[in-house]
Amino acid sequence: MDPIEKLNQETLPFAQLLGIRLISAAPDCVVGEMLVRDDLCTRPAVLHGGAMMAFADTLGACATAINLRDGAGTTTIESKTNFLAPAPVGTKVSGECLPLHRGKRTMVWQTRITSQEGRLIGVVTQTQMIL
């Protein structure tokens, strides 16, 4: 089964709540997008840092999932975010998640989150433990 088909069949409930849409998925890159809705914002009306982190965490979990052996699972054990610019309500953000390390016990992913105009708004590096 194609990786994007697999991920779309096993959609995470929280990803649905956030409105994350997967654009492409391969073992070495997962791309998704999310609309910045008012209920995901802080004041002023810009994307809340926790929502940005959750977006990247979801992409990292998806990237790990398509790299797992049968029967294995994953959980995030570490995450670091650099917030670089705001994402205003009504805009769309994109995330590109690339591997820094894909080992037997852990995987480390870096997600670059950009605005519709291509401006870098955040960088998230996370470690996923293989269960």
Side-chain angles (χ1 to χ4, degrees):
M1 178 184 314
D2 178 90
I4 193 111
E5 290 175 31
K6 177 183 177 187
L7 293 171
N8 283 330
Q9 282 185 353
E10 302 170 6
T11 304
L12 301 170
F14 192 58
Q16 290 178 338
L17 180 68
L18 291 173
I20 296 171
R21 187 170 81 90
L22 296 176
I23 304 300
S24 63
D28 61 349
C29 182
V30 171
V31 177
E33 64 182 19
M34 182 175 74
L35 177 64
V36 179
R37 304 185 319 253
D38 189 58
D39 60 342
L40 298 178
C41 288
T42 186
R43 296 291 172 239
V46 296
L47 184 63
H48 188 283
M52 185 186 301
M53 293 169 68
F55 174 48
D57 185 63
T58 299
L59 296 182
C62 289
T64 301
I66 60 177
N67 280 278
L68 293 175
R69 64 189 176 282
D70 288 340
T74 186
T75 190
T76 306
I77 59 172
E78 179 273 336
S79 183
K80 182 207 183 296
T81 304
N82 289 102
F83 301 102
L84 305 173
V89 68
T91 64
K92 196 176 286 184
V93 293
S94 297
E96 180 182 49
C97 183
L98 300 169
L100 298 178
H101 166 76
R102 287 184 286 176
K104 292 180 182 178
R105 295 195 174 116
T106 62
M107 294 189 195
V108 180
W109 298 91
Q110 185 175 73
T111 303
R112 294 173 52 85
I113 302 169
T114 56
S115 68
Q116 290 173 241
E117 298 78 29
R119 181 178 186 192
L120 186 62
I121 61 170
V123 178
V124 179
T125 304
Q126 71 184 93
T127 305
Q128 294 285 131
M129 181 171 64
I130 310 304
L131 305 172

